[in-house]
Amino acid sequence: MPENISISDRFRGILLGTAVGDALGLPAEGMKRSRMLKRYPGRWRHRFVFDKGMLSDDTEHTLFVANSLLINSDSAEKFTRNLSWRLRWWLLALPAGVGFATLRAILRLWVGFSPEYSGVFSAGNGPAMRSAIIGAFFADSPESIDAFTEASTRITHTDERALIGARAVAQLTGQIVRGDFKQRPSGKHFIAFLKNIGSTDKEWLALVLNIEKAIKKNSDVLQFAQSIGAENGVSGYIYQTVPVVLYAWYHHFDDFEATLTSVLNCGGDTDTTGAIAGALAGAVSGEKAIPDNWIDNIIDWPCSVNYIRDTADQLAQKKAKPDKIEPLRYFWPGVPLRNLLFLMIVLSHGLRRLLPPY
């Protein structure tokens, strides 16, 4: 059972958990499970470049949300406008691997659409990857969690399924930080919580029924993923990503490594599933639950591990004393150069996938 930990430690656990899951899963992103296990056998470790890890949009967008909360946590509308400008400038730095829905939405922002109308009809998992920190920050106000999660989601995605998936992650994180889940909840309590998230959506309720059956059978995470059609890997469809991550969190609860490993072992969209699973697992036990080598071997810049820690501490300070806090600065001119290096490494991974093992 997790000990009582500070809000700063929980915020660090969420942001660093996101970064670790993202970085570990990044080299295997999009690979079928069978080939992934041949290509990357053994315990999960960083393999992006010389046994080190780097961060993708999953972590970057989460940090954008965190920084927007530091400036505008009193108004969902102001928060939305701040976050939308961060996304605009992020795209100008030419990041690699932008999701198609997110790309279209940001282009719409640049040509003059307001954040309220920039989103496109998509049920991709982008909104869920950046919603955990919203739930943590507004843990004492479920209404604010919903308002700010919807604001974050609608910038890029308008499909109601995207909102339900993002709300599930945010509200669960809120309950963890609020102290409702100091130990693994009963299956009945957890299922009731999930049903309430999307009580009018038949597809969501069917997925919750699958989670309930898996809990009763004590299925492992892979068995559950297979039961909802993710035999070859968890796709970017939010109604695959979020149920698998939620079940992994419940099944392994306060074991960060087991939670993250079980999700990554499913294959598919491993950086995003890893990022969300890392955030939820990190919310339970904080930074101390994350293996040191998984954190220390992230070598990204200018958004370094220390920058992530400091951002978490700023959020904790903001929550304790809700004055306006300016986000930490980092060397923006270096971002395009970093993205160029990142792209070259991504392309090298793509070329390597042309070779065996198949």
Side-chain angles (χ1 to χ4, degrees), residues 70-72 318 321-326:
L70 287 173
I71 296 176
N72 298 114
K318 172 85 171 183
K321 187 178 181 182
D323 297 329
K324 183 176 179 180
I325 298 178
E326 287 295 330

Side-chain angles (χ1 to χ4, degrees), residues 230-304:
E231 298 89 351
N232 293 320
V234 182
S235 73
Y237 177 42
I238 202 164
Y239 273 11
Q240 276 199 0
T241 298
V242 170
V244 169
V245 170
L246 294 177
Y247 184 73
W249 174 85
Y250 183 86
H251 188 69
H252 294 291
F253 190 59
D254 63 341
D255 188 330
F256 183 95
E257 184 170 353
T259 301
L260 187 52
T261 296
S262 68
V263 168
L264 295 177
N265 281 342
C266 291
D269 194 11
T270 44
D271 59 334
T272 300
T273 56
I276 302 171
L280 291 176
V284 175
S285 302
E287 178 183 358
K288 69 180 184 300
I290 306 173
D292 290 339
N293 65 312
W294 280 2
I295 298 175
D296 296 341
N297 285 322
I298 295 175
I299 58 166
D300 220 319
W301 175 89
C303 289
S304 65

Side-chain angles (χ1 to χ4, degrees), residues 37-332:
L37 294 178
K38 294 177 183 177
R39 179 74 180 88
Y40 300 118
R43 182 177 180 267
W44 280 89
R45 57 184 176 82
H46 291 294
R47 296 182 173 98
F48 191 64
V49 54
F50 302 120
D51 294 326
K52 303 293 183 181
M54 292 183 71
L55 308 172
S56 77
D57 59 329
D58 300 270
T59 306
E60 292 170 331
H61 286 206
T62 298
L63 291 172
F64 294 158
V65 168
N67 285 321
S68 293
L69 287 172
L70 287 173
I71 296 176
N72 298 114
S73 61
D74 58 339
S75 166
E77 181 181 355
K78 293 178 181 178
F79 163 82
T80 303
R81 296 192 180 281
N82 187 279
L83 179 57
S84 67
W85 274 110
R86 293 179 186 277
L87 292 172
R88 285 183 178 99
W89 292 115
W90 171 77
L91 186 63
L92 284 190
L94 302 178
V98 184
F100 189 47
T102 299
L103 173 62
R104 286 184 291 158
I106 298 175
L107 289 175
R108 285 162 65 90
L109 286 169
W110 270 118
V111 299
F113 284 84
S114 71
E116 292 80 8
Y117 299 101
S118 58
V120 298
F121 188 75
S122 168
N125 56 17
M129 75 188 186
R130 59 181 184 256
S131 65
I133 195 61
I134 297 174
F137 188 82
F138 294 110
D140 298 326
S141 175
E143 296 80 10
S144 294
I145 293 176
D146 278 350
F148 279 75
T149 300
E150 181 169 4
S152 170
T153 299
R154 298 298 189 196
I155 295 174
T156 53
H157 294 66
T158 61
D159 192 313
E160 195 66 20
R161 292 170 294 183
L163 178 58
I164 289 173
R167 284 187 64 234
V169 173
Q171 289 288 358
L172 177 57
T173 311
Q175 292 214 20
I176 296 167
V177 172
R178 192 161 59 240
D180 292 357
F181 293 155
K182 291 182 179 178
Q183 58 185 358
R184 179 165 55 187
S186 68
K188 183 178 180 179
H189 184 180
F190 186 53
I191 294 303
F193 161 76
L194 293 179
K195 285 181 178 179
N196 188 55
I197 293 293
S199 58
T200 61
D201 187 289
K202 292 182 179 179
E203 186 178 358
W204 174 257
L205 293 176
L207 289 166
V208 173
L209 179 60
N210 279 340
I211 293 175
E212 184 175 21
K213 291 178 180 177
I215 291 173
K216 290 178 179 178
K217 293 179 180 178
N218 196 30
S219 302
D220 63 33
V221 176
L222 178 60
Q223 289 171 330
F224 171 73
Q226 292 170 337
S227 76
I228 63 169
E231 298 89 351
N232 293 320
V234 182
S235 73
Y237 177 42
I238 202 164
Y239 273 11
Q240 276 199 0
T241 298
V242 170
V244 169
V245 170
L246 294 177
Y247 184 73
W249 174 85
Y250 183 86
H251 188 69
H252 294 291
F253 190 59
D254 63 341
D255 188 330
F256 183 95
E257 184 170 353
T259 301
L260 187 52
T261 296
S262 68
V263 168
L264 295 177
N265 281 342
C266 291
D269 194 11
T270 44
D271 59 334
T272 300
T273 56
I276 302 171
L280 291 176
V284 175
S285 302
E287 178 183 358
K288 69 180 184 300
I290 306 173
D292 290 339
N293 65 312
W294 280 2
I295 298 175
D296 296 341
N297 285 322
I298 295 175
I299 58 166
D300 220 319
W301 175 89
C303 289
S304 65
V305 166
N306 285 335
Y307 173 81
I308 295 171
R309 283 197 182 100
D310 290 342
T311 300
D313 293 344
Q314 280 191 309
L315 280 173
Q317 180 184 344
K318 172 85 171 183
K319 188 167 178 63
K321 187 178 181 182
D323 297 329
K324 183 176 179 180
I325 298 178
E326 287 295 330
L328 294 167
R329 304 288 182 181
Y330 59 86
F331 189 62
W332 272 101

Side-chain angles (χ1 to χ4, degrees), residues 8-20:
S8 180
D9 285 341
R10 288 197 191 275
F11 285 177
R12 283 188 175 198
I14 292 165
L15 294 186
L16 288 172
T18 298
V20 164

